[in-house]
Amino acid sequence: MATTSTTPTPLPLPSSSISTPAQSSTTQSSTFTFPTYTHFPPLYTVQPNLQTRARQLDLWSSLILSYTAHHHIFRLSLSTPPADLFTNPPRTRTLKPSDIRIVLDHMALQTPSRIEWLPPSTKGEKMGNTCWVYWKTLAEWADVLYGWVEETGQKGAVLTVYELREGDAVMGREWVGMDEGMLRKVLGVLVKRGKAQVFGQQEGEGVKFF
Amino acid sequence: MASSRRGVGLNAFSNAAISSDQYARHGAALRSTHADALANQLSVFQAALHNFSLTHAKDIRSNPTFRAEFARMCNAIGVDPLAGSNVKGAAGAGGKSVWAKMLGSSVNDFYFELAVRVVEVCRETRSENGGMIALSEVRKRIEKGRGLVGGGMEVTDDDIERALESLEPLGGMFKTTTLGSNKFIRSVPKELNPDQSTVLEVIQILGHVTVSMLQDNLGWEGARAIAVIDDLVADSLVWVDSQAEETEYWSPASMHEGG
């Protein structure tokens, strides 16, 4: 009964299990309810006290993950962040882009990683300002994808990456809209597990599931 | 009576001695019957209380109003339901845990269990509030449970304070303090100085403070106000909002209340 948990509370992730297409399409259209702490003005100022800041970054991390999961956002860009995510409802406080970077850097260092920076698109820049958001971790995505393969009896079949991303068979599936690069990473996880094999050239690349 | 009739001769002296002796004996007899009756009443009462707690153990555990009434009843007759297991019971007989035996261990267990939850909540939120959390916030979190099936517990503020008292033998790490009109649990053994308490009290009332608010309302020197606030920030008891006209300091207690 009395289990003392010293570990911090796990981040409240939305729908950890595989949601059906019907569910995901309805949640997509409904409005996202922001947690009450988004009304708290200091949330938008990076806290000077490190202990407090750690807590603040966790709150942001959980907010960003549930927001992106709700809206099916796979990629965040610092230059065009979602308008309502980093500004509080009365629009008096905004998390500055440099502070957003602090939050995202924190998420990149979480285990497992919750975001991944993409290399800068223009050569001159040192830091990229776009990242993939893993509201499901790569391992979780791998489970979802493999679950679908099993469910639809396609083990042993060869599918193209294009089919996995945009084919009719995957319509309404959760990963639709995912960047090709991110999907490749998910496939990479499955390859490592010995559950898939990727072959062929960039164009017309094929994946075989075991 | 002996004194009004005042006998004659030497015999009167022994008569007086005999009668006073008889009075004394009668008095002793009366006292002992009285004591017997009281002891009898007490044991009847104990038995009744025992039966009561056994038949209503479920209610005591599950119904907060009932539990509060029960606790108040025990209090009124000088019985501490918690005292049983670690202090010699109020009734004393038998030495150890008379009340624990009488009440079944369910009441004790209830508070110990609750105490564990309170400690959990305090630890979980420590990075957010610096180890200072409103009693009502703790209650809300305990009522919500940990998101597991059947995790929630219906409790009152009173229950939580009792549970905290049961932690006393562990060294009194958890203390309740009153700031403004709210009770807080302090789970970090650092004492607040009077200035810090004052500022926290103001924050409770206004939601936030600024250095100039402290200067205007408390007549403090700027340096004093800044020093106090810096201390509070360092102890992670307040959060900073630098996007207002003047930097504002907020209590994390208002974080989950919205508005």
Side-chain angles (χ1 to χ4, degrees):
Chain A
M1 200 62 223
T3 50
T4 34
S5 66
T6 49
T7 49
T9 33
L11 299 171
L13 286 181
S15 64
S16 56
S17 60
I18 306 160
S19 61
T20 63
Q23 274 174 339
S24 56
S25 63
T26 49
T27 49
Q28 227 171 336
S29 55
S30 66
T31 48
F32 177 70
T33 9
F34 283 90
T36 46
Y37 60 76
T38 53
H39 294 271
F40 188 61
L43 188 72
Y44 299 86
T45 299
V46 168
Q47 295 300 306
N49 178 309
L50 292 182
Q51 202 192 0
T52 314
R53 183 188 297 190
R55 172 66 185 154
Q56 180 190 22
L57 294 177
D58 283 343
L59 287 173
W60 270 112
S61 170
S62 109
L63 171 63
I64 290 173
L65 292 177
S66 49
Y67 180 91
T68 48
H70 181 89
H71 291 291
H72 261 74
I73 296 170
F74 292 95
R75 162 202 272 270
L76 274 183
S77 165
L78 279 188
S79 46
T80 53
D84 54 345
L85 178 54
F86 297 108
T87 301
N88 79 344
R91 303 194 169 276
T92 52
R93 303 284 183 276
T94 303
L95 195 66
K96 283 184 299 192
S98 60
D99 294 343
I100 296 177
R101 189 180 286 280
I102 293 177
V103 170
L104 293 175
D105 280 342
H106 168 77
M107 292 171 73
L109 294 176
Q110 281 176 309
T111 29
S113 257
R114 284 314 194 158
I115 67 122
E116 181 174 335
W117 289 108
L118 299 177
S121 44
T122 41
K123 282 271 159 85
E125 287 174 42
K126 268 187 190 157
M127 293 181 290
N129 61 2
T130 307
C131 64
W132 286 326
V133 190
Y134 298 140
W135 37 273
K136 278 192 198 307
T137 63
L138 287 176
E140 281 167 345
W141 277 121
D143 291 341
V144 171
L145 195 61
Y146 195 74
W148 170 77
V149 170
E150 267 188 329
E151 200 180 293
T152 50
Q154 299 189 80
K155 271 203 260 186
V158 175
L159 294 161
T160 63
V161 171
Y162 175 83
E163 276 179 309
L164 283 174
R165 293 185 63 215
E166 294 168 53
D168 289 345
V170 298
M171 284 258 280
R173 291 287 160 176
E174 269 188 298
W175 64 86
V176 171
M178 189 188 278
D179 279 7
E180 189 174 334
M182 187 166 155
L183 184 66
R184 277 177 209 283
K185 289 208 133 210
V186 176
L187 291 173
V189 173
L190 286 172
V191 169
K192 259 194 201 148
R193 287 186 193 168
K195 296 272 177 85
Q197 193 186 356
V198 181
F199 48 82
Q201 291 304 311
Q202 286 292 7
E203 304 294 317
E205 198 171 23
V207 190
K208 188 171 177 181
F209 293 94
F210 308 108
Chain B
M1 295 266 118
S3 53
S4 62
R5 203 160 45 85
R6 196 191 279 184
V8 285
L10 281 175
N11 229 3
F13 291 106
S14 67
N15 265 346
I18 290 166
S19 62
S20 83
D21 190 44
Q22 278 171 338
Y23 279 127
R25 232 178 302 140
H26 191 59
L30 273 179
R31 263 199 304 279
S32 82
T33 46
H34 196 61
D36 283 351
L38 274 181
N40 196 23
Q41 273 179 19
L42 187 63
S43 68
V44 167
F45 175 74
Q46 284 184 339
L49 192 58
H50 187 193
N51 280 337
F52 181 84
S53 69
L54 284 186
T55 38
H56 295 280
K58 220 174 167 188
D59 290 326
I60 291 172
R61 285 171 72 88
S62 64
N63 182 343
T65 344
F66 194 88
R67 187 165 57 241
E69 285 298 321
F70 182 75
R72 198 181 311 154
M73 185 175 81
C74 288
N75 222 7
I77 56 173
V79 169
D80 179 359
L82 285 176
S85 58
N86 47 34
V87 186
K88 283 183 182 174
K96 60 168 189 176
S97 71
V98 170
W99 290 106
K101 242 185 277 165
M102 274 189 52
L103 301 177
S105 49
S106 65
V107 178
N108 275 312
D109 285 354
F110 172 83
Y111 284 109
F112 293 152
E113 227 168 77
L114 181 58
V116 170
R117 295 283 177 94
V118 173
V119 173
E120 273 177 23
V121 169
C122 288
R123 289 184 59 110
E124 269 169 20
T125 57
R126 199 172 285 172
S127 61
E128 182 176 297
N129 54 35
M132 181 114 154
I133 186 167
L135 199 62
S136 52
E137 171 75 14
V138 173
R139 177 169 48 77
K140 265 183 237 157
R141 281 171 184 266
I142 288 174
E143 279 172 357
K144 227 187 327 168
R146 281 166 296 190
L148 306 171
V149 179
M153 248 170 147
E154 208 182 329
V155 294
T156 61
D157 289 356
D158 188 55
D159 287 330
I160 292 174
E161 283 188 67
R162 272 171 213 283
L164 284 175
E165 277 168 31
S166 74
L167 293 176
E168 206 91 314
L170 300 177
M173 280 274 289
F174 295 78
K175 286 207 175 90
T176 51
T177 41
T178 310
L179 284 177
S181 55
N182 295 315
K183 284 198 171 151
F184 283 80
I185 300 174
R186 189 94 177 92
S187 62
V188 171
K190 189 174 180 290
E191 294 293 326
L192 294 173
N193 67 35
D195 277 6
Q196 291 173 325
S197 308
T198 310
V199 173
L200 287 178
E201 233 167 86
V202 174
I203 294 181
Q204 288 320 307
I205 298 163
L206 300 175
H208 64 270
V209 290
T210 64
V211 171
S212 60
M213 277 163 74
L214 292 178
Q215 284 175 292
D216 294 348
N217 291 304
L218 301 171
W220 286 0
E221 294 286 318
R224 182 178 176 187
I226 292 170
V228 174
I229 285 180
D230 282 351
D231 279 352
L232 291 175
V233 172
D235 285 343
S236 55
L237 287 169
V238 295
W239 287 47
V240 184
D241 171 23
S242 58
Q243 289 180 43
E245 280 174 33
E246 186 188 347
T247 306
E248 290 176 356
Y249 300 90
W250 291 70
S251 155
S254 59
M255 186 186 303
H256 300 287
E257 288 162 8

Short mmCIF file of all heavy atoms in Angstrom, two decimals, chain B residues 201-254:
data_model
loop_
_atom_site.label_atom_id
_atom_site.label_comp_id
_atom_site.label_asym_id
_atom_site.label_seq_id
_atom_site.Cartn_x
_atom_site.Cartn_y
_atom_site.Cartn_z
N GLU B 201 3.34 36.19 3.37
CA GLU B 201 1.97 36.49 3.75
C GLU B 201 1.34 37.46 2.75
O GLU B 201 0.21 37.27 2.30
CB GLU B 201 1.96 37.12 5.14
CG GLU B 201 1.05 36.44 6.11
CD GLU B 201 1.32 36.92 7.53
OE1 GLU B 201 0.77 37.94 7.93
OE2 GLU B 201 2.13 36.25 8.22
N VAL B 202 2.11 38.50 2.40
CA VAL B 202 1.62 39.48 1.42
C VAL B 202 1.32 38.77 0.10
O VAL B 202 0.29 39.01 -0.53
CB VAL B 202 2.65 40.61 1.21
CG1 VAL B 202 2.21 41.53 0.08
CG2 VAL B 202 2.84 41.40 2.50
N ILE B 203 2.21 37.86 -0.29
CA ILE B 203 2.00 37.15 -1.56
C ILE B 203 0.72 36.32 -1.50
O ILE B 203 -0.03 36.25 -2.47
CB ILE B 203 3.21 36.24 -1.89
CG1 ILE B 203 4.44 37.10 -2.16
CG2 ILE B 203 2.92 35.37 -3.10
CD1 ILE B 203 5.68 36.32 -2.53
N GLN B 204 0.46 35.73 -0.33
CA GLN B 204 -0.77 34.94 -0.19
C GLN B 204 -1.99 35.79 -0.48
O GLN B 204 -2.96 35.35 -1.08
CB GLN B 204 -0.91 34.37 1.23
CG GLN B 204 0.04 33.26 1.56
CD GLN B 204 0.22 32.32 0.41
OE1 GLN B 204 -0.76 31.81 -0.11
NE2 GLN B 204 1.46 32.09 -0.01
N ILE B 205 -1.93 37.04 -0.02
CA ILE B 205 -3.10 37.90 -0.15
C ILE B 205 -3.20 38.49 -1.56
O ILE B 205 -4.26 38.47 -2.19
CB ILE B 205 -3.04 39.04 0.90
CG1 ILE B 205 -3.07 38.43 2.31
CG2 ILE B 205 -4.21 39.99 0.71
CD1 ILE B 205 -2.62 39.36 3.39
N LEU B 206 -2.08 38.98 -2.08
CA LEU B 206 -2.12 39.71 -3.34
C LEU B 206 -1.80 38.83 -4.56
O LEU B 206 -2.01 39.26 -5.68
CB LEU B 206 -1.15 40.88 -3.30
CG LEU B 206 -1.40 41.91 -2.19
CD1 LEU B 206 -0.30 42.93 -2.17
CD2 LEU B 206 -2.76 42.58 -2.40
N GLY B 207 -1.30 37.63 -4.33
CA GLY B 207 -0.93 36.78 -5.45
C GLY B 207 0.53 36.96 -5.85
O GLY B 207 1.19 36.02 -6.20
N HIS B 208 1.01 38.19 -5.81
CA HIS B 208 2.42 38.42 -6.13
C HIS B 208 2.89 39.71 -5.46
O HIS B 208 2.07 40.48 -4.97
CB HIS B 208 2.59 38.54 -7.64
CG HIS B 208 1.88 39.72 -8.23
ND1 HIS B 208 0.59 39.67 -8.69
CD2 HIS B 208 2.28 41.00 -8.40
CE1 HIS B 208 0.22 40.85 -9.13
NE2 HIS B 208 1.24 41.69 -8.95
N VAL B 209 4.19 39.94 -5.44
CA VAL B 209 4.72 41.20 -4.92
C VAL B 209 5.80 41.73 -5.85
O VAL B 209 6.34 41.00 -6.69
CB VAL B 209 5.36 41.05 -3.52
CG1 VAL B 209 4.32 40.79 -2.47
CG2 VAL B 209 6.45 40.00 -3.51
N THR B 210 6.09 43.00 -5.69
CA THR B 210 7.24 43.60 -6.36
C THR B 210 8.03 44.32 -5.27
O THR B 210 7.52 44.54 -4.17
CB THR B 210 6.83 44.62 -7.43
OG1 THR B 210 6.17 45.69 -6.76
CG2 THR B 210 5.90 44.02 -8.45
N VAL B 211 9.25 44.69 -5.60
CA VAL B 211 10.08 45.38 -4.61
C VAL B 211 9.40 46.68 -4.19
O VAL B 211 9.32 47.01 -3.01
CB VAL B 211 11.48 45.64 -5.18
CG1 VAL B 211 12.27 46.56 -4.25
CG2 VAL B 211 12.23 44.33 -5.37
N SER B 212 8.85 47.41 -5.16
CA SER B 212 8.27 48.70 -4.78
C SER B 212 6.98 48.53 -3.98
O SER B 212 6.66 49.36 -3.13
CB SER B 212 8.03 49.57 -6.02
OG SER B 212 7.15 48.93 -6.90
N MET B 213 6.25 47.43 -4.22
CA MET B 213 5.07 47.18 -3.38
C MET B 213 5.49 47.02 -1.93
O MET B 213 4.83 47.51 -1.01
CB MET B 213 4.35 45.90 -3.84
CG MET B 213 3.41 46.12 -5.02
SD MET B 213 3.00 44.55 -5.81
CE MET B 213 1.89 43.83 -4.63
N LEU B 214 6.60 46.30 -1.71
CA LEU B 214 7.07 46.10 -0.34
C LEU B 214 7.51 47.43 0.27
O LEU B 214 7.23 47.70 1.43
CB LEU B 214 8.22 45.10 -0.32
CG LEU B 214 7.87 43.66 -0.68
CD1 LEU B 214 9.10 42.79 -0.68
CD2 LEU B 214 6.82 43.10 0.27
N GLN B 215 8.18 48.23 -0.54
CA GLN B 215 8.63 49.52 -0.04
C GLN B 215 7.43 50.38 0.35
O GLN B 215 7.40 50.99 1.42
CB GLN B 215 9.44 50.24 -1.12
CG GLN B 215 10.84 49.69 -1.27
CD GLN B 215 11.56 50.35 -2.44
OE1 GLN B 215 11.20 50.14 -3.59
NE2 GLN B 215 12.56 51.15 -2.13
N ASP B 216 6.42 50.42 -0.51
CA ASP B 216 5.28 51.28 -0.25
C ASP B 216 4.43 50.80 0.91
O ASP B 216 4.01 51.59 1.75
CB ASP B 216 4.38 51.35 -1.51
CG ASP B 216 5.09 52.06 -2.65
OD1 ASP B 216 6.14 52.67 -2.37
OD2 ASP B 216 4.60 51.97 -3.80
N ASN B 217 4.19 49.50 0.94
CA ASN B 217 3.23 49.00 1.94
C ASN B 217 3.85 48.72 3.29
O ASN B 217 3.18 48.82 4.31
CB ASN B 217 2.55 47.74 1.42
CG ASN B 217 1.63 48.05 0.27
OD1 ASN B 217 0.73 48.88 0.41
ND2 ASN B 217 1.87 47.43 -0.87
N LEU B 218 5.10 48.30 3.31
CA LEU B 218 5.71 47.94 4.59
C LEU B 218 6.70 48.99 5.04
O LEU B 218 7.25 48.91 6.14
CB LEU B 218 6.41 46.58 4.45
CG LEU B 218 5.49 45.43 4.04
CD1 LEU B 218 6.32 44.18 3.73
CD2 LEU B 218 4.48 45.11 5.13
N GLY B 219 6.95 49.98 4.21
CA GLY B 219 7.88 51.03 4.57
C GLY B 219 9.32 50.53 4.67
O GLY B 219 10.13 51.06 5.41
N TRP B 220 9.64 49.48 3.89
CA TRP B 220 10.99 48.93 3.95
C TRP B 220 11.93 49.72 3.03
O TRP B 220 11.51 50.27 2.01
CB TRP B 220 10.99 47.47 3.51
CG TRP B 220 10.41 46.54 4.52
CD1 TRP B 220 9.90 46.87 5.74
CD2 TRP B 220 10.26 45.13 4.38
NE1 TRP B 220 9.44 45.75 6.37
CE2 TRP B 220 9.65 44.65 5.57
CE3 TRP B 220 10.58 44.21 3.38
CZ2 TRP B 220 9.35 43.32 5.78
CZ3 TRP B 220 10.28 42.87 3.59
CH2 TRP B 220 9.68 42.43 4.77
N GLU B 221 13.20 49.70 3.38
CA GLU B 221 14.22 50.22 2.47
C GLU B 221 14.29 49.28 1.27
O GLU B 221 14.03 48.07 1.40
CB GLU B 221 15.59 50.20 3.16
CG GLU B 221 15.71 51.14 4.34
CD GLU B 221 15.81 52.59 3.90
OE1 GLU B 221 16.53 52.83 2.92
OE2 GLU B 221 15.16 53.44 4.52
N GLY B 222 14.66 49.84 0.11
CA GLY B 222 14.77 49.01 -1.08
C GLY B 222 15.70 47.82 -0.86
O GLY B 222 15.39 46.69 -1.24
N ALA B 223 16.82 48.08 -0.21
CA ALA B 223 17.82 47.02 -0.02
C ALA B 223 17.26 45.87 0.79
O ALA B 223 17.50 44.70 0.49
CB ALA B 223 19.06 47.60 0.68
N ARG B 224 16.47 46.22 1.81
CA ARG B 224 15.88 45.19 2.65
C ARG B 224 14.91 44.32 1.84
O ARG B 224 14.96 43.09 1.89
CB ARG B 224 15.15 45.86 3.81
CG ARG B 224 14.52 44.90 4.78
CD ARG B 224 13.88 45.67 5.90
NE ARG B 224 13.17 44.81 6.84
CZ ARG B 224 12.41 45.30 7.83
NH1 ARG B 224 12.29 46.61 8.00
NH2 ARG B 224 11.80 44.48 8.65
N ALA B 225 14.06 45.00 1.07
CA ALA B 225 13.08 44.27 0.26
C ALA B 225 13.79 43.35 -0.73
O ALA B 225 13.42 42.18 -0.88
CB ALA B 225 12.19 45.26 -0.47
N ILE B 226 14.84 43.88 -1.36
CA ILE B 226 15.57 43.07 -2.36
C ILE B 226 16.23 41.86 -1.70
O ILE B 226 16.15 40.73 -2.20
CB ILE B 226 16.62 43.94 -3.08
CG1 ILE B 226 15.91 44.97 -3.96
CG2 ILE B 226 17.54 43.06 -3.93
CD1 ILE B 226 16.82 46.03 -4.53
N ALA B 227 16.82 42.10 -0.52
CA ALA B 227 17.50 41.01 0.18
C ALA B 227 16.52 39.88 0.52
O ALA B 227 16.82 38.70 0.32
CB ALA B 227 18.18 41.53 1.43
N VAL B 228 15.36 40.27 1.05
CA VAL B 228 14.38 39.25 1.43
C VAL B 228 13.92 38.46 0.21
O VAL B 228 13.87 37.23 0.24
CB VAL B 228 13.16 39.92 2.12
CG1 VAL B 228 12.09 38.88 2.38
CG2 VAL B 228 13.57 40.59 3.40
N ILE B 229 13.65 39.19 -0.86
CA ILE B 229 13.16 38.51 -2.07
C ILE B 229 14.24 37.60 -2.65
O ILE B 229 13.95 36.47 -3.06
CB ILE B 229 12.66 39.55 -3.10
CG1 ILE B 229 11.30 40.06 -2.61
CG2 ILE B 229 12.55 38.94 -4.48
CD1 ILE B 229 10.67 41.08 -3.50
N ASP B 230 15.48 38.08 -2.65
CA ASP B 230 16.56 37.23 -3.14
C ASP B 230 16.65 35.93 -2.35
O ASP B 230 16.85 34.85 -2.92
CB ASP B 230 17.91 37.97 -3.06
CG ASP B 230 18.05 38.97 -4.20
OD1 ASP B 230 17.20 38.95 -5.11
OD2 ASP B 230 19.01 39.76 -4.18
N ASP B 231 16.48 36.05 -1.04
CA ASP B 231 16.51 34.84 -0.20
C ASP B 231 15.38 33.89 -0.59
O ASP B 231 15.58 32.68 -0.68
CB ASP B 231 16.34 35.21 1.28
CG ASP B 231 17.65 35.68 1.88
OD1 ASP B 231 18.68 35.56 1.19
OD2 ASP B 231 17.63 36.16 3.03
N LEU B 232 14.20 34.45 -0.80
CA LEU B 232 13.05 33.61 -1.13
C LEU B 232 13.26 32.93 -2.47
O LEU B 232 12.91 31.76 -2.65
CB LEU B 232 11.76 34.44 -1.15
CG LEU B 232 11.28 34.95 0.22
CD1 LEU B 232 10.08 35.86 0.04
CD2 LEU B 232 10.94 33.78 1.13
N VAL B 233 13.84 33.66 -3.42
CA VAL B 233 14.11 33.06 -4.73
C VAL B 233 15.15 31.95 -4.57
O VAL B 233 14.99 30.86 -5.12
CB VAL B 233 14.61 34.13 -5.74
CG1 VAL B 233 15.08 33.46 -7.02
CG2 VAL B 233 13.51 35.13 -6.04
N ALA B 234 16.17 32.22 -3.77
CA ALA B 234 17.23 31.23 -3.57
C ALA B 234 16.68 29.96 -2.92
O ALA B 234 17.16 28.86 -3.19
CB ALA B 234 18.35 31.82 -2.72
N ASP B 235 15.67 30.11 -2.08
CA ASP B 235 15.08 28.94 -1.43
C ASP B 235 13.99 28.31 -2.30
O ASP B 235 13.26 27.44 -1.84
CB ASP B 235 14.46 29.33 -0.08
CG ASP B 235 15.52 29.57 0.97
OD1 ASP B 235 16.66 29.13 0.74
OD2 ASP B 235 15.22 30.19 2.00
N SER B 236 13.86 28.79 -3.51
CA SER B 236 12.82 28.40 -4.46
C SER B 236 11.41 28.44 -3.87
O SER B 236 10.58 27.61 -4.17
CB SER B 236 13.12 27.04 -5.10
OG SER B 236 13.33 26.04 -4.17
N LEU B 237 11.17 29.45 -3.06
CA LEU B 237 9.83 29.61 -2.50
C LEU B 237 8.96 30.52 -3.36
O LEU B 237 7.74 30.52 -3.23
CB LEU B 237 9.91 30.18 -1.08
CG LEU B 237 10.40 29.18 -0.03
CD1 LEU B 237 10.70 29.87 1.27
CD2 LEU B 237 9.37 28.09 0.18
N VAL B 238 9.58 31.32 -4.21
CA VAL B 238 8.80 32.15 -5.12
C VAL B 238 9.36 32.01 -6.54
O VAL B 238 10.51 31.64 -6.73
CB VAL B 238 8.83 33.65 -4.73
CG1 VAL B 238 8.16 33.88 -3.40
CG2 VAL B 238 10.25 34.19 -4.73
N TRP B 239 8.49 32.29 -7.51
CA TRP B 239 8.88 32.25 -8.92
C TRP B 239 8.94 33.68 -9.46
O TRP B 239 8.17 34.53 -9.04
CB TRP B 239 7.88 31.43 -9.74
CG TRP B 239 7.95 29.96 -9.53
CD1 TRP B 239 8.00 29.32 -8.33
CD2 TRP B 239 7.95 28.94 -10.53
NE1 TRP B 239 8.04 27.96 -8.53
CE2 TRP B 239 8.00 27.71 -9.87
CE3 TRP B 239 7.90 28.96 -11.92
CZ2 TRP B 239 8.02 26.49 -10.55
CZ3 TRP B 239 7.92 27.75 -12.61
CH2 TRP B 239 7.98 26.53 -11.93
N VAL B 240 9.84 33.90 -10.39
CA VAL B 240 10.08 35.24 -10.91
C VAL B 240 9.34 35.44 -12.23
O VAL B 240 9.35 34.57 -13.09
CB VAL B 240 11.59 35.45 -11.16
CG1 VAL B 240 11.86 36.87 -11.61
CG2 VAL B 240 12.38 35.12 -9.91
N ASP B 241 8.69 36.59 -12.37
CA ASP B 241 8.10 36.96 -13.65
C ASP B 241 8.70 38.30 -14.06
O ASP B 241 8.36 39.33 -13.49
CB ASP B 241 6.57 37.08 -13.50
CG ASP B 241 5.94 37.68 -14.75
OD1 ASP B 241 6.56 37.60 -15.82
OD2 ASP B 241 4.83 38.24 -14.64
N SER B 242 9.59 38.28 -15.04
CA SER B 242 10.28 39.52 -15.39
C SER B 242 9.64 40.21 -16.58
O SER B 242 10.20 41.15 -17.13
CB SER B 242 11.75 39.24 -15.67
OG SER B 242 11.86 38.30 -16.71
N GLN B 243 8.45 39.76 -16.99
CA GLN B 243 7.83 40.41 -18.15
C GLN B 243 6.79 41.45 -17.76
O GLN B 243 6.13 42.03 -18.61
CB GLN B 243 7.19 39.35 -19.05
CG GLN B 243 8.25 38.51 -19.76
CD GLN B 243 7.63 37.46 -20.66
OE1 GLN B 243 6.69 37.72 -21.38
NE2 GLN B 243 8.19 36.27 -20.63
N ALA B 244 6.63 41.66 -16.47
CA ALA B 244 5.72 42.72 -16.04
C ALA B 244 6.49 44.04 -16.06
O ALA B 244 7.68 44.06 -16.31
CB ALA B 244 5.21 42.43 -14.64
N GLU B 245 5.78 45.15 -15.77
CA GLU B 245 6.44 46.45 -15.78
C GLU B 245 7.60 46.45 -14.80
O GLU B 245 8.69 46.94 -15.09
CB GLU B 245 5.45 47.55 -15.41
CG GLU B 245 4.57 47.96 -16.59
CD GLU B 245 3.49 48.93 -16.18
OE1 GLU B 245 3.76 49.75 -15.28
OE2 GLU B 245 2.40 48.87 -16.77
N GLU B 246 7.31 45.92 -13.61
CA GLU B 246 8.39 45.74 -12.65
C GLU B 246 8.40 44.26 -12.30
O GLU B 246 7.35 43.64 -12.22
CB GLU B 246 8.10 46.56 -11.37
CG GLU B 246 9.25 46.52 -10.39
CD GLU B 246 8.86 47.15 -9.06
OE1 GLU B 246 7.81 47.82 -9.00
OE2 GLU B 246 9.61 46.95 -8.10
N THR B 247 9.58 43.71 -12.12
CA THR B 247 9.68 42.27 -11.87
C THR B 247 8.75 41.85 -10.73
O THR B 247 8.76 42.43 -9.65
CB THR B 247 11.12 41.89 -11.53
OG1 THR B 247 11.96 42.36 -12.57
CG2 THR B 247 11.25 40.39 -11.41
N GLU B 248 7.93 40.83 -11.01
CA GLU B 248 6.98 40.37 -10.01
C GLU B 248 7.44 39.03 -9.45
O GLU B 248 8.08 38.24 -10.15
CB GLU B 248 5.58 40.22 -10.62
CG GLU B 248 4.95 41.55 -10.97
CD GLU B 248 3.60 41.38 -11.66
OE1 GLU B 248 3.20 40.23 -11.94
OE2 GLU B 248 2.96 42.41 -11.92
N TYR B 249 7.08 38.77 -8.20
CA TYR B 249 7.44 37.51 -7.55
C TYR B 249 6.16 36.81 -7.15
O TYR B 249 5.34 37.39 -6.44
CB TYR B 249 8.36 37.78 -6.36
CG TYR B 249 9.63 38.46 -6.79
CD1 TYR B 249 9.71 39.85 -6.85
CD2 TYR B 249 10.73 37.72 -7.22
CE1 TYR B 249 10.85 40.49 -7.30
CE2 TYR B 249 11.87 38.34 -7.67
CZ TYR B 249 11.93 39.73 -7.72
OH TYR B 249 13.05 40.34 -8.18
N TRP B 250 6.01 35.58 -7.62
CA TRP B 250 4.76 34.86 -7.44
C TRP B 250 4.96 33.64 -6.55
O TRP B 250 6.03 33.03 -6.55
CB TRP B 250 4.21 34.38 -8.77
CG TRP B 250 3.73 35.49 -9.65
CD1 TRP B 250 4.50 36.43 -10.28
CD2 TRP B 250 2.38 35.78 -9.99
NE1 TRP B 250 3.70 37.28 -10.98
CE2 TRP B 250 2.40 36.90 -10.84
CE3 TRP B 250 1.15 35.18 -9.66
CZ2 TRP B 250 1.21 37.45 -11.35
CZ3 TRP B 250 0.00 35.72 -10.19
CH2 TRP B 250 0.03 36.85 -11.02
N SER B 251 3.91 33.28 -5.86
CA SER B 251 3.95 32.06 -5.07
C SER B 251 3.53 30.88 -5.94
O SER B 251 2.52 30.97 -6.63
CB SER B 251 3.00 32.19 -3.89
OG SER B 251 2.60 30.91 -3.48
N PRO B 252 4.32 29.80 -5.92
CA PRO B 252 3.93 28.63 -6.73
C PRO B 252 2.59 28.04 -6.28
O PRO B 252 2.02 27.22 -6.99
CB PRO B 252 5.07 27.65 -6.51
CG PRO B 252 5.79 28.12 -5.30
CD PRO B 252 5.56 29.59 -5.20
N ALA B 253 2.10 28.47 -5.11
CA ALA B 253 0.83 27.93 -4.64
C ALA B 253 -0.30 28.26 -5.61
O ALA B 253 -1.25 27.51 -5.73
CB ALA B 253 0.50 28.48 -3.25
N SER B 254 -0.17 29.39 -6.33
CA SER B 254 -1.27 29.78 -7.21
C SER B 254 -1.14 29.14 -8.60
O SER B 254 -1.98 29.33 -9.45
CB SER B 254 -1.30 31.31 -7.36
OG SER B 254 -0.08 31.77 -7.88
#
